[in-house]
Amino acid sequence: MERYYQKEIETADREQILAWQNERLVRQVRHVWDNVPYYRAKMEEKGLSPEDIKSVEDLRKLPFLTKDDLRDAYPYGLLARPLKDCVRIQSTSGTTGRRVVAFYTQHDIDLWEDCCARAIMAAGGTEEDVCHVSYGYGLFTGGPGLNGGSHKVGCLTLPMSSGNTDRQLQFMVDLGSTILCCTPSYAAFLAESIHERGLRDKIKLKAGIFGAEAWSEEMRQDIQNKLGIKAYDIYGLTETSGPGVAFECSQQTGMHINEDHFIAEIIDPDTGEVLPEGSKGELVFTSITKEAFPLLRYRTRDICVLTREKCSCGRTHVKMSKPMGRSDDMLIVKGVNVFPSQIETVLLEQGYPANYQIIVDRVNNSDTLEVMVEMSPEHFSDNLGEITNMEKALVAALKAMLGIYAKVRLVAPKSIARSEGKAVRVIDKRKI
């Protein structure tokens, strides 16, 4: 039986959804115009005022926001409520030292947790379940989002965070975890650990909610078979709130976007032109209920397709496909956003030339990151101990910038192949 957290909203007819969007968009544009000088200036550049936005049909008139805007406006330039009204921040990893910081009022958090509660109930969750949250906590949105959603549903919530596999498995067995929330690669690793330790018969999991990184249908089937569960996808961005912007239902053929909170568009990433439904392009989101950090027409850089085909689950909100790639050079490694520019910044700060290659792979269902770096003639040495120390120093500097471990391999000057065109900076060997 299909379960809903807010059935009247999740199964509302298209006319009602559009009415909510029209009303909330008009109100949000006025809110941003009145309280965010940065975005008001962008509107004025296009000759726009709030009176020009009367419905969703007018959305395409508004200027886009990009991650560059968020960095330029860091930290408070896009804040739309006084700091005294804000109760939390969440943040992404920083590129070139500048992080994306998102602000939340208590109302924002309540709505975000509602979205995550919808995802948990779509996965079959009830107040009888034990929800095992192994996403990272702290500044990362994964843990706090699913934690709050689990509370809203009424599950017993295990705020495990990531890592410490022995403890994860002990609590999973002792407390009878039934819903697992984590990255798909960590779910695959836990599945292998469960089989290695002969715990399969002691695990009570029935469902998993996995996101924050790309994963294939083959990986889904493998996780489902090994854990005996149904594996659901979830999507979100720190910039728009966190996980729960969209989630999978029992049909597992795309993620329903919570359209009462977000308006989705698909655009041509080169021209910015809005594309017809069913077209493959870049996903753009407008937050229509967020108070503290409301982003209008935010370019996610994720490539996907939207569809309004009727869904057997009864939900009427538009569905997005799994992201099919990026329109920029960002990589997602172990659920963390990694830009080549971050790595380049570290290398230049450490005195290395910007001749490098990033190699991403997936070994035993876990992402690996290796950075091959050319030494300058001044750095070059045949002293193995000296090279090892240099590599360790770079590993530490990259860990400080990225937040994850990257293996470093120093190579001789001019040993990385040159390209006549755009340099091949990234080799992604993952089959996703």
Side-chain angles (χ1 to χ4, degrees):
M1 185 180 72
E2 199 70 37
R3 298 183 184 277
Y4 311 92
Y5 178 66
Q6 295 166 316
K7 185 175 181 180
E8 295 78 11
I9 297 173
E10 295 175 62
T11 62
D13 60 43
R14 291 304 314 161
E15 291 74 17
Q16 177 60 72
I17 292 171
L18 189 59
W20 285 328
Q21 290 186 335
N22 287 336
E23 177 195 346
R24 293 170 185 179
L25 174 64
V26 169
R27 186 169 63 235
Q28 192 73 295
V29 170
R30 171 56 69 180
H31 173 53
V32 169
W33 174 273
D34 289 343
N35 296 290
V36 185
Y38 185 97
Y39 196 77
R40 182 167 68 244
K42 290 179 77 75
M43 287 180 64
E44 288 173 337
E45 281 176 22
K46 296 194 73 171
L48 291 172
S49 71
E51 288 71 31
D52 295 311
I53 310 301
K54 299 179 175 64
S55 71
V56 173
E57 289 296 314
D58 297 318
L59 185 62
R60 65 186 66 199
K61 297 177 183 177
L62 291 169
F64 293 112
L65 279 174
T66 68
K67 190 155 280 192
D68 285 340
D69 288 307
L70 271 61
R71 293 189 204 109
D72 291 344
Y74 172 91
Y76 297 127
L78 289 169
L79 185 61
R81 290 290 293 267
L83 269 182
K84 67 181 179 62
D85 294 342
C86 301
V87 298
R88 190 193 299 175
I89 69 157
Q90 303 284 167
S91 176
T92 64
S93 59
T95 56
T96 61
R98 283 202 170 187
R99 294 177 176 270
V100 169
V101 176
F103 298 84
Y104 302 73
T105 64
Q106 186 57 52
H107 180 66
D108 292 334
I109 289 174
D110 287 340
L111 296 185
W112 176 24
E113 291 178 348
D114 284 347
C115 290
C116 290
R118 292 179 192 178
I120 291 169
M121 290 199 69
T126 72
E127 67 275 5
E128 302 291 333
D129 281 294
V130 178
C131 191
H132 190 112
V133 184
S134 296
Y135 285 111
Y137 281 68
L139 290 172
F140 180 60
T141 56
L146 271 302
N147 192 95
S150 175
H151 283 197
K152 286 282 183 85
V153 173
C155 305
L156 174 63
T157 308
L158 308 186
M160 302 300 298
S161 196
S162 54
N164 198 333
T165 301
D166 287 339
R167 185 173 61 193
Q168 301 274 0
L169 298 184
Q170 180 190 345
F171 275 53
M172 206 175 278
V173 171
D174 293 350
L175 295 174
S177 304
T178 54
I179 298 175
L180 174 64
C181 305
C182 62
T183 62
S185 57
Y186 193 53
F189 178 74
L190 287 173
E192 289 178 358
S193 301
I194 287 166
H195 278 266
E196 286 170 3
R197 300 174 199 200
L199 297 175
R200 181 65 185 81
D201 293 340
K202 297 181 179 180
I203 298 296
K204 297 180 180 176
L205 291 175
K206 67 178 187 181
I209 300 173
F210 308 134
E213 64 187 19
W215 53 310
S216 64
E217 282 302 313
E218 290 75 18
M219 189 173 184
R220 186 210 298 266
Q221 293 304 323
D222 187 56
I223 292 171
Q224 290 187 151
N225 292 337
K226 285 182 176 174
L227 289 178
I229 65 172
K230 196 162 183 176
Y232 297 81
D233 210 345
I234 191 168
Y235 177 89
L237 311 97
T238 300
E239 297 90 326
T240 53
S241 66
V245 171
F247 61 90
E248 263 189 332
C249 62
S250 56
Q251 193 169 319
Q252 295 177 297
T253 55
M255 293 169 276
H256 290 281
I257 295 169
N258 286 306
E259 290 191 276
D260 52 324
H261 300 301
F262 308 98
I263 301 174
E265 302 171 273
I266 294 291
I267 65 166
D268 182 314
D270 297 321
T271 67
E273 176 192 359
V274 178
L275 300 176
E277 183 185 320
S279 302
K280 180 179 175 181
E282 182 183 335
L283 182 61
V284 173
F285 276 123
T286 294
S287 302
I288 52 175
T289 55
K290 209 163 178 213
E291 296 179 331
F293 200 67
L295 300 187
L296 306 182
R297 301 200 83 197
Y298 180 68
R299 294 186 61 164
T300 68
R301 302 296 181 179
D302 284 324
I303 302 296
C304 73
V305 174
L306 299 181
T307 177
R308 295 195 182 279
E309 289 181 10
K310 187 174 181 180
C311 186
S312 62
C313 77
R315 291 176 180 82
T316 49
H317 294 221
V318 69
K319 286 165 84 169
M320 60 175 280
S321 66
K322 278 179 177 289
M324 303 168 179
R326 299 277 303 174
S327 66
D328 62 6
D329 59 357
M330 189 185 85
L331 293 162
I332 300 178
V333 183
K334 294 184 176 179
V336 174
N337 297 349
V338 175
F339 287 84
S341 56
Q342 291 174 286
I343 292 169
E344 191 165 306
T345 297
V346 170
L347 298 182
L348 293 172
E349 285 176 350
Q350 299 287 321
Y352 291 88
N355 296 321
Y356 63 94
Q357 216 160 49
I358 302 164
I359 302 160
V360 187
D361 205 347
R362 185 161 283 170
V363 179
N364 295 327
N365 291 311
S366 181
D367 289 344
T368 62
L369 177 63
E370 180 179 10
V371 184
M372 196 161 61
V373 182
E374 272 190 12
M375 289 180 279
S376 64
E378 301 79 50
H379 279 116
F380 187 58
S381 168
D382 56 4
N383 183 322
L384 189 59
E386 191 176 329
I387 289 176
T388 299
N389 288 334
M390 290 160 62
E391 288 174 341
K392 285 180 179 177
L394 272 179
V395 166
L398 288 170
K399 178 75 182 293
M401 171 64 87
L402 305 175
I404 58 173
Y405 170 78
K407 179 182 178 182
V408 171
R409 183 153 50 101
L410 291 174
V411 298
K414 299 185 179 179
S415 59
I416 294 177
R418 298 319 196 245
S419 170
E420 292 180 5
K422 186 177 180 182
V424 181
R425 293 293 191 209
V426 179
I427 300 172
D428 195 338
K429 298 180 177 179
R430 295 174 295 182
K431 292 179 172 56
I432 49 179

